[in-house]
Amino acid sequence: AAAERDNHYVPQLHEWKARAERAEAEVERMRPVVDAAREWRRADRALDAAEHAEEYTERRTAEAVAEYARADLIAAIDAYNAAREEAHHDA
């Protein structure tokens, strides 16, 4: 009975382990995108606040920071897509 049970559940356990490993890898690939999105959001909020600033340089600095954060987000998304495609081809 134990051998029959093992024959039934062991393949399932291996599949679940493989699924968990794939999910963990996906989370690691996605983490830089989430971090970049958070940074872009923070920079965008700072830009909104700086639009009412009296100092021109403060506004221009906030614009530059937001633009760099946007570019970093785009680069992170591009890297994520490339890593996913590579992982798909390796599978």
Side-chain angles (χ1 to χ4, degrees):
E4 185 176 316
R5 185 185 65 233
D6 288 348
N7 286 338
H8 178 73
Y9 289 112
V10 169
Q12 275 186 309
L13 291 174
H14 288 295
E15 174 58 27
W16 292 341
K17 182 180 178 192
R19 285 174 135 183
E21 289 170 354
R22 288 191 303 271
E24 288 172 0
E26 183 68 13
V27 166
E28 287 306 309
R29 282 190 296 271
M30 187 57 125
R31 189 175 314 279
V33 174
V34 172
D35 292 343
R38 284 184 178 140
E39 183 59 27
W40 176 74
R41 183 174 182 222
R42 186 201 61 74
D44 193 54
R45 285 182 171 177
L47 176 58
D48 285 346
E51 285 184 2
H52 302 291
E54 292 183 25
E55 271 191 53
Y56 175 75
T57 56
E58 186 178 338
R59 286 194 312 267
R60 294 297 295 157
T61 299
E63 287 172 359
V65 169
E67 186 58 33
Y68 282 117
R70 180 183 162 280
D72 288 347
L73 175 56
I74 290 169
I77 291 168
D78 289 344
Y80 167 76
N81 287 334
R84 277 191 84 206
E85 189 159 319
E86 183 179 309
H88 179 71
H89 287 296
D90 290 344

